[in-house]
Amino acid sequence: ATAPPSGNTDDLTRIRGIGKVIERKLHELGIKTFRQLADLSAADVQRVNQAIDFPGRVEREGWVEQARGLTSR
């Protein structure tokens, strides 16, 4: 995932399936914005699934798609 602009952090808990604990894990991975979630590659998705210890959760709950809906292009 790409680094967010300095100081830019979105409330990732707005995405269904992401609570405070998972948000903290995403931050540890460097994922702090909806844009970063929206731009995850397949390899990034696997890395996130592994880090949160919930295989397939990112895909099942549509985090990438939800994040795309929350970003402004």
Side-chain angles (χ1 to χ4, degrees):
T2 59
S6 180
N8 187 13
T9 302
D10 292 323
D11 179 4
L12 300 180
T13 64
R14 289 181 57 199
I15 293 182
R16 184 179 34 76
I18 297 178
K20 285 295 183 188
V21 172
I22 290 178
E23 182 182 49
R24 193 167 33 255
K25 288 183 181 185
L26 290 171
H27 287 180
E28 289 170 5
L29 292 171
I31 300 169
K32 298 183 178 186
T33 68
F34 298 134
R35 168 63 47 221
Q36 287 175 293
L37 269 178
D39 291 342
L40 290 181
S41 69
D44 291 331
V45 167
Q46 293 310 310
R47 184 173 58 97
V48 169
N49 277 325
Q50 208 167 33
I52 64 171
D53 204 23
F54 284 102
R57 186 166 183 176
V58 174
E59 299 92 335
R60 250 191 333 275
E61 295 181 345
W63 292 0
V64 171
E65 294 78 11
Q66 288 184 69
R68 286 180 183 152
L70 292 167
T71 60
S72 54
R73 289 203 177 249

